[in-house]
Amino acid sequence: MKGRSAIPELPEVETVRLELAPWLTGAVIIGAALLDARPGPKYAGLERAVGRRITAVNRRGKFLLLPLDSGDELIIHLGMTGVLSPQPTSHLRVKLELDATPSALYFRDTRRFGRFLVVPAGDYTSLPTLAALGPEPLGPDFYPAQFAKALRVKTAIKTHLLSQRPVAGVGNIYADEALWRARIHPLMPSAHLSAQSVACLCQAIKEVLRESLEAHGTTLSDYRTVNGEAGGFGSFLQVYGRAGEPCLRCGRTIERLVVAGRGTHHCPHCQQLPAQ
Ligand SMILES: [Zn+2]
């Protein structure tokens, strides 16, 4: 990867979750401190976590959800550059002291898009993206007939995927990869997709995410697993970040355009808009 910046997506967050779960499940939060961060919508309610036990480490889309034995929920969103680690480093925003080993959890976030807050369990009024999340892409509720219903909007398919509403956890990288696999142009109006294309896209999203999960996520400029390792999926990317390089399917040049403000990569031959 050439120093590209991208957001941790579902496979990266799931990789972090799997690393955190054995450490944090059952741990009591002894102390919670904001470091270089101010209380506000991104950092709220941490004092309510003190003295409480973490009962699980769950994930919805790209959100980590840690239910506490008080009935509250600690919600962590890594944003673009968030890293959770037992070691103190630079750009620290939150420190949790734990009755576990290691005994501290640090939240580092260079670009400050992350979130770290405690809310009553299931009360996501301050988190509209979480409240409106579509089904988990690797769960039983994501299948072609359901997906087709969620695509009955005129919005461009890539924009709609990024909204997280038709399906949770698909961000910029995996949207590009899945659309390329399913041979769908990123600007195609969602409602114009044929039933066959919807089924292809559903399958492609599942495949791309599963493959990336097996590789522990994509190597990004800031993303690290809890153990400080980069992910391994970067070399498997087939279209994302490959503008100017040949399409791996047909050899035409991959093009880059901007959709919903995000760099978007597609093959102009394999992924065509229907003639007007
Ligand atoms: Zn192609």
Side-chain angles (χ1 to χ4, degrees), residues 92-121:
L92 295 174
R93 308 301 169 202
V94 179
K95 176 185 181 183
L96 294 186
E97 289 173 68
L98 308 163
D99 76 336
T101 308
S103 61
L105 171 72
Y106 292 93
F107 182 53
R108 163 198 168 101
D109 188 16
T110 315
R111 294 188 62 184
R112 298 176 181 268
F113 289 104
R115 287 171 161 235
F116 204 109
L117 65 165
V118 176
V119 301

Side-chain angles (χ1 to χ4, degrees), residues 180 183 246-254 266-271:
W180 180 82
R183 301 175 186 241
C247 172
L248 296 176
R249 198 160 43 208
C250 74
R252 311 285 173 91
T253 304
I254 298 293
H266 77 292
C267 170
H269 178 69
C270 297
Q271 298 165 267

Side-chain angles (χ1 to χ4, degrees), residues 33-229:
L34 277 184
L35 303 176
D36 182 14
R38 290 203 195 99
K42 292 183 177 178
Y43 300 99
L46 287 188
E47 66 285 350
R48 280 160 49 192
V50 177
R52 297 302 176 180
R53 187 179 299 279
I54 298 168
T55 58
V57 181
N58 301 325
R59 180 190 55 74
R60 269 291 279 137
K62 297 184 264 183
F63 292 85
L64 291 166
L65 309 178
L66 285 64
L68 307 176
D69 63 1
S70 56
D72 283 336
E73 211 168 22
L74 169 61
I75 298 182
I76 305 169
H77 193 283
L78 300 177
M80 294 185 79
T81 55
V83 176
L84 294 164
S85 160
Q87 283 95 29
T89 53
S90 58
H91 302 96
L92 295 174
R93 308 301 169 202
V94 179
K95 176 185 181 183
L96 294 186
E97 289 173 68
L98 308 163
D99 76 336
T101 308
S103 61
L105 171 72
Y106 292 93
F107 182 53
R108 163 198 168 101
D109 188 16
T110 315
R111 294 188 62 184
R112 298 176 181 268
F113 289 104
R115 287 171 161 235
F116 204 109
L117 65 165
V118 176
V119 301
D123 178 0
Y124 303 145
T125 42
S126 65
L127 298 147
T129 309
L130 179 56
L133 272 187
E136 284 296 312
L138 300 178
D141 298 331
F142 182 57
Y143 53 92
Q146 174 279 332
F147 193 32
K149 279 186 198 162
L151 297 183
R152 286 180 191 159
V153 294
K154 290 177 184 168
T155 317
I157 182 64
K158 166 103 187 239
T159 308
H160 196 37
L161 288 175
L162 292 182
S163 78
Q164 309 293 301
R165 288 168 187 260
V167 58
V170 179
N172 202 39
I173 295 175
Y174 300 113
D176 282 8
E177 292 294 315
L179 289 169
W180 180 82
R181 288 191 189 201
R183 301 175 186 241
I184 296 167
H185 194 288
L187 289 175
M188 184 80 169
S190 302
H192 291 188
L193 292 173
S194 66
Q196 190 190 354
S197 286
V198 170
C200 271
L201 182 56
C202 186
Q203 183 65 26
I205 287 171
K206 289 174 187 280
E207 283 176 9
V208 159
L209 293 174
R210 278 205 194 99
E211 289 169 24
S212 179
L213 266 175
E214 284 168 15
H216 304 295
T218 299
T219 301
L220 308 170
S221 55
D222 293 286
Y223 163 71
R224 292 290 181 275
T225 70
V226 175
N227 294 326
E229 293 164 0

